Amino acid sequence: QVQLVESGGGLVQPGGSLKLSCAASGTAFRIPAMGWYRQAPGKERDLVAGIRPDGRANYADFVKGRFTISRDNAENAVTLQMNSLKPEDTAVYYCKADTYGIRVFDASEYWGQGTQVTVSS
């Protein structure tokens, strides 16, 4: 029922910036929490940043001070501003939505298809 679509990925040089966007469709209700994960080839999917229902943001240690997650509370959308990018940031970035089992949703979580971010000189 709910679909997430990411955009904004691409190729950037080390030290550069990218802005990722994620928008949800298929529901008229506010999704409680949204965030970003990433997965590099051969590695596990890791949390990058998320926004809790109370509006507080949490970040993985490896992106603190470089990435900023933002959400417009009027929309089921979230962005990730990525600055000072490093080659090790190269990964597929996935948008995630958490519903906490609220009955108006048909699942506890939703995932986007992912967007590729490549940091290389």
Side-chain angles (χ1 to χ4, degrees):
Q1 185 177 20
V2 174
Q3 294 181 325
L4 304 179
V5 179
E6 303 103 331
S7 63
L11 175 64
V12 65
Q13 295 183 6
S17 298
L18 284 174
K19 185 176 182 179
L20 306 182
S21 298
C22 172
S25 62
T27 181
F29 299 94
R30 187 177 186 274
I31 299 172
M34 301 184 72
W36 291 91
Y37 287 68
R38 73 186 189 187
Q39 187 169 22
K43 298 184 178 180
E44 295 183 349
R45 189 173 298 187
D46 295 323
L47 172 70
V48 177
I51 295 183
R52 302 180 181 125
D54 62 6
R56 297 180 181 178
N58 59 291
Y59 296 92
D61 287 341
F62 52 81
V63 304
K64 286 182 178 178
R66 299 190 297 124
F67 293 8
T68 302
I69 187 169
S70 301
R71 178 175 182 176
D72 183 346
N73 288 331
E75 299 180 359
N76 287 323
V78 64
T79 64
L80 184 69
Q81 178 65 51
M82 304 186 295
N83 299 323
S84 301
L85 284 162
K86 305 174 181 179
E88 51 263 45
D89 294 319
T90 296
V92 177
Y93 285 70
Y94 296 90
C95 181
K96 181 188 178 184
D98 291 302
T99 69
Y100 297 144
I102 296 174
R103 292 187 176 184
V104 296
F105 303 104
D106 63 357
S108 62
E109 63 183 37
Y110 302 95
W111 290 89
Q113 296 297 311
T115 184
Q116 177 71 47
V117 172
T118 302
V119 184
S120 176
S121 60

